[in-house]
């Protein structure tokens, strides 16, 4: 069922197997970006100014924008090199002000959810599932984005869309609050400018042998803290919305899994260390993440061969100045793209 609100025109959707065979029927709100979905979800949680939200220290700084907007306090817990939370430390960081824990499905791979659920149940706090990179992924038969009390998922990170993300409400209390119409998201229309022309050129780059990416302006590594400022709450672009409901999602899943396997094969006897050396059934990977000793070397290698390798994440400033272990991990991590088959490039470089 799809309908528009007569008040502020958010798009509420109950996704079904008929629309997406990877997603069970859920209560969702379709908006422009994950950060907008997150802020709307925090409103529905009814948190107060000064309340604390636990989140991993290995995270993109843009998640701080909705927290700052609502006057909430981030408390950072650490993760290991497998990007799993150090659960014993989380317990020690929970206080009377702690109202929620946020976990991240890094690069489309699921987290061990049972320990987090146990902690949330024990302390009576909400579980926010950051599924920004997990669109189309499952754990078993259950889609990612359906394990937390609420989640937000980015569509545009997986599909070539102008924008697009959705907030998913999985807890009966939160669904009831949403249906009471007390919480209606405000959003603006985002200017398109030359986006679709750029996307068309990128499609040519990804689906032909023309190495257009070699002619792009070289990107610099984003500075920590650059995404912490308040962001405008954009709605989903109408063209992106239409494309979402007409996209061949199964082909996208197969392409990403195939390209992930090719990168695994390429680095099989290399000092480069994949973060995940196994691709579980059901996972639609966002990227191929690896640890390297020399980031600059591999960034230059990618530029030379027309492969858009990039760093991740743009760390929060506090983490950058106070968590040296996390900063060292950030300096070693690179993401190899899965949008374009690396097969021909790999043949030339082997």
């Amino acid at each position: 069922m799809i309908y528009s609100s007569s008040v502020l025109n958010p798009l509420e959707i109950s996704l079904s197997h008929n629309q997406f065979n990877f997603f069970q029927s859920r209560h969702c709100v379709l908006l422009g970006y994950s950060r907008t979905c997150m802020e709307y979800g925090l409103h529905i949680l009814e948190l107060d100014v000064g309340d604390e939200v636990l989140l991993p220290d290995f995270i993109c700084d843009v998640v701080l924008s909705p927290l700052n907007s609502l006057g909430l306090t981030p408390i950072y817990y650490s993760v290991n090199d497998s990007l799993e939370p150090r659960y014993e430390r989380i317990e020690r960081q929970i206080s009377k002000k702690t109202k929620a824990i946020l976990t991240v499905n890094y690069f489309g791979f699921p987290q061990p959810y049972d320990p987090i659920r146990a902690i949330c149940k024990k302390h009576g706090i909400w579980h926010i599932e950051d599924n920004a990179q997990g669109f189309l992924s499952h754990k078993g038969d259950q889609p990612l984005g359906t394990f937390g009390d609420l989640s937000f998922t980015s569509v545009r990170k997986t599909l070539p869309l102008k924008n697009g993300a959705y907030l998913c409400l999985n807890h009966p209390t939160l669904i009831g609050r949403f249906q009471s119409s007390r919480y209606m998201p405000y959003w603006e229309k985002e200017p398109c400018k030359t986006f679709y022309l750029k996307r068309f050129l990128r499609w040519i780059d990804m689906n032909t042998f023309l190495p257009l990416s070699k002619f792009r302006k070289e990107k610099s590594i984003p500075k920590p803290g650059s995404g912490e400022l308040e962001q405008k709450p954009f709605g989903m672009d109408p063209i992106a919305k239409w494309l979402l409901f007409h996209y061949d999602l199964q082909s996208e899943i197969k392409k990403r899994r195939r390209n992930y396997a090719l990168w695994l094969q390429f680095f099989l006897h290399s000092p480069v260390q994949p973060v995940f050396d196994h691709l579980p059934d059901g996972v639609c990977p966002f990227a191929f993440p690896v640890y390297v000793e020399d980031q600059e070397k591999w960034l230059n290698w990618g530029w030379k061969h027309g492969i858009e390798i990039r760093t991740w994440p743009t760390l929060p400033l506090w983490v950058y100045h106070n968590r040296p272990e996390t900063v060292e991990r950030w300096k070693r991590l690179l993401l190899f793209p899965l949008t374009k088959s690396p097969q021909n490039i790999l043949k030339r470089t082997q």
Side-chain angles (χ1 to χ4, degrees):
M1 178 177 64
I2 305 173
Y3 66 90
S4 295
S5 163
S6 59
V7 182
L8 292 172
N9 294 319
L11 182 67
E12 182 193 348
I13 52 177
S14 293
L15 297 170
S16 68
H17 282 291
N18 292 331
Q19 292 166 299
F20 299 117
N21 59 11
F22 63 90
F23 212 43
Q24 298 172 348
S25 179
R26 297 288 166 178
H27 293 270
C28 301
V29 181
L30 198 60
L31 293 166
Y33 294 92
S34 290
R35 57 181 177 261
T36 308
C37 294
M38 180 181 174
E39 183 167 348
Y40 183 32
L42 291 171
H43 274 294
I44 297 176
L45 291 183
E46 298 183 345
L47 305 186
D48 296 323
V49 173
D51 283 345
E52 296 175 352
V53 177
L54 289 176
L55 60 157
D57 55 10
F58 200 64
I59 196 167
C60 192
D61 59 359
V62 74
V63 302
L64 296 185
S65 175
L67 295 179
N68 293 339
S69 177
L70 298 176
L72 302 175
T73 303
I75 303 295
Y76 299 100
Y77 64 83
S78 61
V79 299
N80 57 31
D81 275 353
S82 297
L83 304 182
E84 294 182 0
R86 292 188 168 108
Y87 300 104
E88 71 285 354
R89 300 185 186 181
I90 291 178
E91 289 267 20
R92 296 197 295 265
Q93 291 179 282
I94 294 175
S95 70
K96 292 181 179 180
K97 290 186 176 182
T98 305
K99 296 298 188 291
I101 297 178
L102 182 144
T103 61
V104 178
N105 297 326
Y106 291 100
F107 316 119
F109 286 75
Q111 288 285 325
Y113 298 108
D114 289 343
I116 288 294
R117 283 174 169 167
I119 291 173
C120 289
K121 183 177 181 180
K122 177 181 177 181
H123 296 277
I125 54 183
W126 297 106
H127 176 201
I128 302 171
E129 184 184 356
D130 180 345
N131 192 45
Q133 299 172 340
F135 181 56
L136 303 178
S137 276
H138 289 68
K139 183 175 185 179
D141 295 329
Q142 188 171 345
L144 300 195
T146 62
F147 289 89
D149 296 313
L150 65 80
S151 70
F152 50 91
T153 300
S154 176
V155 178
R156 72 177 187 91
K157 291 181 183 295
T158 301
L159 306 182
L161 306 180
K162 165 67 177 174
N163 60 21
Y166 55 85
L167 169 70
C168 191
L169 304 175
N170 304 314
H171 194 284
T173 299
L174 303 181
I175 294 171
R177 291 177 186 175
F178 172 75
Q179 291 176 335
S180 71
S181 299
R182 286 183 292 165
Y183 303 93
M184 300 302 294
Y186 165 79
W187 55 269
E188 302 176 16
K189 183 177 180 181
E190 184 176 17
C192 287
K193 297 183 179 179
T194 59
F195 173 83
Y196 288 106
L197 174 60
K198 292 178 181 178
R199 278 295 178 179
F200 176 68
L201 294 175
R202 189 169 186 177
W203 181 90
I204 294 176
D205 180 42
M206 291 188 296
N207 293 278
T208 70
F209 297 113
L210 297 175
L212 298 184
S213 55
K214 292 179 66 174
F215 301 100
R216 294 180 191 163
K217 183 179 179 181
E218 190 169 1
K219 294 182 179 179
S220 58
I221 298 175
K223 295 181 179 179
S226 57
E228 296 182 25
L229 300 177
E230 185 175 351
Q231 308 283 335
K232 287 187 176 181
F234 290 121
M236 190 171 184
D237 176 69
I239 297 176
K241 195 181 300 179
W242 185 90
L243 290 171
L244 169 62
F245 286 96
H246 293 82
Y247 209 89
D248 186 349
L249 301 178
Q250 289 303 316
S251 293
E252 185 68 27
I253 294 170
K254 291 177 181 178
K255 176 184 71 175
R256 288 177 173 271
R257 289 183 61 86
R258 180 178 63 249
N259 292 343
Y260 195 98
L262 288 171
W263 283 119
L264 273 176
Q265 183 180 0
F266 179 71
F267 288 118
L268 186 60
H269 302 293
S270 164
V272 172
Q273 177 189 353
V275 177
F276 307 104
D277 58 7
H278 170 66
L279 185 59
D281 292 340
V283 168
C284 177
F286 164 69
F288 184 76
V290 298
Y291 292 119
V292 299
E293 293 300 324
D294 188 343
Q295 267 191 350
E296 195 65 31
K297 169 189 170 183
W298 284 101
L299 289 171
N300 290 334
W301 180 87
W303 185 258
K304 177 182 177 181
H305 295 286
I307 303 173
E308 195 174 354
I309 304 169
R310 56 194 179 92
T311 62
W312 190 91
T314 309
L315 290 173
L317 265 180
W318 187 92
V319 172
Y320 184 76
H321 291 298
N322 293 278
R323 294 288 174 88
E325 180 185 358
T326 303
V327 173
E328 286 305 309
R329 181 184 299 117
W330 171 63
K331 290 179 178 179
R332 293 188 295 122
L333 187 98
L334 286 176
L335 302 185
F336 284 70
L338 301 177
T339 49
K340 182 178 181 179
S341 174
Q343 193 162 18
N344 292 305
I345 297 170
L346 300 184
K347 285 180 180 178
R348 294 199 304 267
T349 58
Q350 285 179 325

